[in-house]
Amino acid sequence: STIGSSSQLIRSKPKQWYQRRVRGQTKGIQTLYFPLKPFLDSGRSREEYDIELAQKIVSSFQPSIIVLAGWMHILSANFLNLLVNASTGKSIPIINLHPALPNTFPGTHAIERAYEAFKKNEIKFTGCMVHLVIPEIDAGKTVVVEEVPILEHDTLEDLEQRMHETEHKAIVNAVNVIINELKEIQ
């Protein structure tokens, strides 16, 4: 298929959660609900979940790129190793949006941790990045980095709002970077 010609949404959270987050922006996008909890409840492992998810993505969608935005669990090396483009034999690029600058605040609650660090005069600003996904958390090669100021009068909610506005632009820019790189190697 043509790079960037279609979109699919794979979600691990209930539909209502995504509807609140994306506010109708998924109209016309094929979605797949693939929650982790039933796997764990049935005695199956996290590795089995990752393997089945990767197989389902490759067989159902044959993606050129995978974008993680709001995906809140770590994907295993098995997942990453199974995501191969069948026609080229190359790994499918997977990018992740993270609300922190490289090498700062990996993992969850990054915005809150940056806000607290600012209040303790440990940092002057924060930011977000989009990076290639590797087994280590928020440590892959950076695709896009955007700084986000923290203002003296900011509440946590003010910073979160500014961060989310910046993230929306960063993820689009990163997708364009990866699509252009894929086009160059075709």
Tab-separated table of all heavy atoms in Angstrom, residues 42 44 56 71 140 145 150 174:
chain	number	residue	atom	x	y	z
A	42	SER	N	-7.003	-14.631	32.108
A	42	SER	CA	-7.126	-16.025	31.671
A	42	SER	C	-5.840	-16.825	31.905
A	42	SER	O	-5.727	-17.962	31.463
A	42	SER	CB	-7.515	-16.084	30.192
A	42	SER	OG	-6.442	-15.633	29.379
A	44	ARG	N	-2.890	-16.082	30.738
A	44	ARG	CA	-1.917	-15.914	29.668
A	44	ARG	C	-0.937	-14.807	30.059
A	44	ARG	O	-1.234	-13.935	30.855
A	44	ARG	CB	-2.628	-15.596	28.356
A	44	ARG	CG	-3.516	-16.783	27.917
A	44	ARG	CD	-4.336	-16.472	26.720
A	44	ARG	NE	-3.478	-16.481	25.521
A	44	ARG	CZ	-3.885	-16.043	24.342
A	44	ARG	NH1	-5.105	-15.578	24.176
A	44	ARG	NH2	-3.077	-16.077	23.310
A	56	LYS	N	-1.426	-9.735	14.915
A	56	LYS	CA	-2.693	-9.150	14.464
A	56	LYS	C	-2.444	-7.857	13.683
A	56	LYS	O	-3.063	-7.616	12.644
A	56	LYS	CB	-3.601	-8.892	15.664
A	56	LYS	CG	-5.033	-8.617	15.307
A	56	LYS	CD	-5.917	-8.584	16.538
A	56	LYS	CE	-6.193	-9.948	17.079
A	56	LYS	NZ	-7.331	-10.634	16.494
A	71	TRP	N	-0.555	5.015	24.346
A	71	TRP	CA	-0.386	3.586	24.608
A	71	TRP	C	0.433	3.481	25.880
A	71	TRP	O	1.610	3.802	25.897
A	71	TRP	CB	0.332	2.925	23.431
A	71	TRP	CG	0.336	1.432	23.540
A	71	TRP	CD1	1.312	0.658	24.091
A	71	TRP	CD2	-0.676	0.538	23.097
A	71	TRP	NE1	0.968	-0.657	24.017
A	71	TRP	CE2	-0.256	-0.774	23.407
A	71	TRP	CE3	-1.910	0.704	22.481
A	71	TRP	CZ2	-1.017	-1.893	23.117
A	71	TRP	CZ3	-2.661	-0.412	22.177
A	71	TRP	CH2	-2.215	-1.691	22.491
A	140	GLY	N	14.716	5.492	22.838
A	140	GLY	CA	15.064	5.307	21.430
A	140	GLY	C	15.527	6.591	20.770
A	140	GLY	O	15.404	7.695	21.328
A	145	VAL	N	11.903	16.802	18.779
A	145	VAL	CA	11.951	17.327	20.148
A	145	VAL	C	11.380	18.740	20.121
A	145	VAL	O	11.733	19.537	19.252
A	145	VAL	CB	13.404	17.378	20.691
A	145	VAL	CG1	13.440	18.025	22.067
A	145	VAL	CG2	14.023	15.998	20.730
A	150	ILE	N	7.804	26.543	31.067
A	150	ILE	CA	7.024	26.493	32.297
A	150	ILE	C	7.063	27.904	32.858
A	150	ILE	O	8.137	28.443	33.128
A	150	ILE	CB	7.603	25.496	33.318
A	150	ILE	CG1	7.778	24.112	32.686
A	150	ILE	CG2	6.673	25.416	34.539
A	150	ILE	CD1	8.465	23.103	33.603
A	174	ALA	N	6.599	14.326	13.466
A	174	ALA	CA	7.371	13.079	13.506
A	174	ALA	C	6.867	12.077	12.473
A	174	ALA	O	7.668	11.409	11.806
A	174	ALA	CB	7.313	12.470	14.901
